[in-house]
C-alpha cells in the first residue's frame, strides 16, 4: 500500500478495537481494487468529538462503527438510510455534500450464512442474547427470513422495554410476527424451544490470549437446546469461541461471526466506493 498526499481515509471507530479484523480485510480489498485509500482502526472514548474531528479532515470519506457506538451515532448523522431507520443502528457512515449519511450493512452480513442453509425458517423460534446495536440487525434479519417468534434476552429491563417499543412497530406493522423481550432468568425455557440461538453480547470475545475463554451459555443450557438448532455467535475472536466449542461438542450446527464480518464489510466498501468489492480477496485476508 502506498500512502500519498491524495490518499483517502476510512476508519473503524470502536472500543475495544484491537481485535478487529476489518483493517486487514478492507486494506486487502483496497489493494486488489487499486484504490488510493487506507482503512485504519480508531479506538475512541468520545464519539461526538471523534465524529466532529473526522468531519474536519477532508480526506476522510467514511467510517465503520463497532461496539459500543452503533446507536450513539444516530443523532450525529445528517441522513439515515431506510434500512438503518428500521434497524435503529448504523455501522457504516459516508461523507456526502449534505454531510454524513449512515446505513446498516450488518443485516445483510448476518443473513448471508443463514441464507446459504437449506432450512425452512417460517415457523422458527429464535433466541437473541443481548439487546445492543448488533442485536437490532439480528432481529431485523430474523424477521426478513420469516422467523415466527424472536425472543430478545437482556440484563436490563428498562433497555429491553425501550428495545421492544422502538423496534416492533416499525418492523412488524400489520405482521403477525412476534418480538418478545425477556431477562436472563427466562432463558432456559426459551432455549428449549429455539431453532436458532444468536449471541450478540461481547461475552466470549477475547482480545488478549492471556484471558480465559468464557461462554454466555453454560453447558447445562447448551444441553437444553434442540439437536437440530443452530448456534450463531457474532464474535470471531477467538475462533471458535467457547460458546461454539460447547455447541460443537454437543453436535449442534455452529456459525461464527467471520462470514458476517466479510459480507457486512463488502457491502460497506461498495457503499463508500461505488465499486464491486472483491469478496474472494477479502475472504482470503480473513483466512476463510
Ligand atoms: P453493543 O451495542 O454494546 O451491545 C452489546 C449487548 O451485550 C448489550 O445489550 C449489552 O447489555 C450486552 N452485554 C454486554 N456485556 C454483557 C454481560 N457481561 N452480560 C450480559 N449482557 C452483556 O455492542 P454491539 O455493537 O451490538 O456488538 C456486540 C458483539 O457483536 C461484539 O462482540 C461485536 O464484536 C459483535 N459483532 C460482530 C459483527 C460481525 O461482523 N461478526 C458485527 C456486529 C457485532 P446492556 O445493554 O445491558 O449493556
Amino acid at each position: 500500500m502506498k500512502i500519498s498526499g491524495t490518499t483517502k481515509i476510512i476508519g473503524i471507530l470502536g472500543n475495544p478495537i484491537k481485535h478487529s479484523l476489518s483493517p486487514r480485510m478492507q486494506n486487502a480489498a483496497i489493494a486488489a481494487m487499486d484504490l488510493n485509500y487506507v482503512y485504519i482502526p480508531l479506538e475512541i472514548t468520545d464519539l461526538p468529538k471523534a465524529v466532529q474531528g473526522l468531519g474536519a479532515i477532508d480526506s476522510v470519506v467514511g467510517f465503520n462503527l463497532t461496539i459500543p457506538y452503533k446507536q450513539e451515532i444516530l443523532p450525529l448523522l445528517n441522513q439515515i438510510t431506510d434500512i438503518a431507520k428500521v434497524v435503529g443502528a448504523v455501522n457504516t457512515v459516508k461523507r456526502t455534500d449534505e454531510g454524513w449519511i449512515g446505513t446498516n450493512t450488518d443485516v445483510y452480513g448476518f443473513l448471508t450464512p443463514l441464507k446459504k442453509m437449506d432450512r425452512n425458517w417460517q415457523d422458527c423460534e429464535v433466541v437473541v442474547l443481548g439487546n445492543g446495536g448488533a442485536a437490532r440487525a439480528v432481529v431485523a434479519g430474523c424477521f426478513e427470513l420469516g422467523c415466527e417468534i424472536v425472543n430478545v434476552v437482556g440484563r436490563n429491563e428498562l433497555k429491553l422495554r425501550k428495545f421492544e417499543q422502538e423496534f416492533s412497530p416499525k418492523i412488524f406493522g400489520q405482521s403477525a410476527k412476534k418480538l418478545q423481550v425477556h431477562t436472563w432468568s427466562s432463558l432456559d425455557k426459551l432455549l428449549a424451544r429455539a431453532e436458532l440461538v444468536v449471541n450478540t453480547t461481547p461475552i466470549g470475545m477475547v482480545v488478549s490470549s492471556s484471558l480465559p475463554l468464557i461462554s454466555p451459555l453454560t453447558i447445562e443450557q447448551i444441553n437444553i437446546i434442540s439437536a437440530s438448532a443452530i448456534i450463531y455467535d457474532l464474535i470471531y475472536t477467538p475462533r471458535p469461541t467457547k460458546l461454539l466449542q460447547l455447541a460443537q461438542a454437543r453436535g449442534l450446527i455452529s456459525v461464527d461471526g467471520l462470514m458476517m464480518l466479510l459480507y457486512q464489510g463488502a457491502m460497506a466498501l461498495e457503499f463508500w466506493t461505488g465499486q464491486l468489492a472483491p469478496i474472494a480477496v477479502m475472504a482470503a485476508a480473513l483466512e476463510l
Side-chain angles (χ1 to χ4, degrees), residues 215-281:
S215 164
L217 299 182
T218 63
I219 187 130
E220 291 77 18
Q221 288 173 319
I222 300 267
N223 285 337
I224 299 172
I225 299 169
S226 152
S228 58
I230 300 164
I231 310 290
Y232 193 153
D233 197 340
L234 300 200
I235 297 171
Y236 56 80
T237 42
R239 210 173 174 228
T241 57
K242 182 76 179 173
L243 172 64
L244 294 190
Q245 281 177 20
L246 295 174
Q248 284 159 9
R250 164 83 210 285
L252 303 177
I253 301 167
S254 69
V255 181
D256 72 18
L258 214 53
M259 204 182 288
M260 174 172 176
L261 179 77
L262 169 63
Y263 283 93
Q264 66 74 32
M267 195 183 220
L269 191 58
E270 291 175 6
F271 186 65
W272 292 312
T273 66
Q275 297 184 35
L276 264 188
I279 294 283
V281 170

Side-chain angles (χ1 to χ4, degrees), residues 121-132:
W121 300 103
Q122 294 306 314
D123 301 319
C124 177
E125 188 159 337
V126 186
V127 170
V128 179
L129 304 174
N131 52 274

Side-chain angles (χ1 to χ4, degrees), residues 72-89:
E72 198 184 326
I73 187 69
L74 292 172
L76 306 174
L77 300 172
N78 305 88
Q79 285 179 70
I80 300 171
T81 60
D82 288 346
I83 179 78
K85 276 185 202 149
V86 166
V87 174

Side-chain angles (χ1 to χ4, degrees), residues 67 70 131-134 155 159 200-203 205 234 257 260-261:
I67 184 171
K70 290 180 183 184
N131 52 274
R155 60 181 172 180
K159 283 188 183 173
T200 77
T201 76
I203 304 169
M205 183 165 84
L234 300 200
M260 174 172 176
L261 179 77

Side-chain angles (χ1 to χ4, degrees), residues 83-141:
I83 179 78
K85 276 185 202 149
V86 166
V87 174
V90 159
N91 75 323
T92 304
V93 173
K94 178 169 78 171
R95 186 194 290 276
T96 69
D97 291 342
E98 288 75 44
W100 298 120
I101 177 166
T103 192
N104 191 300
T105 69
D106 278 338
V107 181
Y108 171 71
F110 166 70
L111 285 176
T112 303
L114 297 178
K115 284 188 171 172
K116 288 180 195 284
M117 293 178 186
D118 184 20
R119 281 251 170 178
N120 176 10
W121 300 103
Q122 294 306 314
D123 301 319
C124 177
E125 188 159 337
V126 186
V127 170
V128 179
L129 304 174
N131 52 274
R136 288 171 175 263
V138 166
V139 173

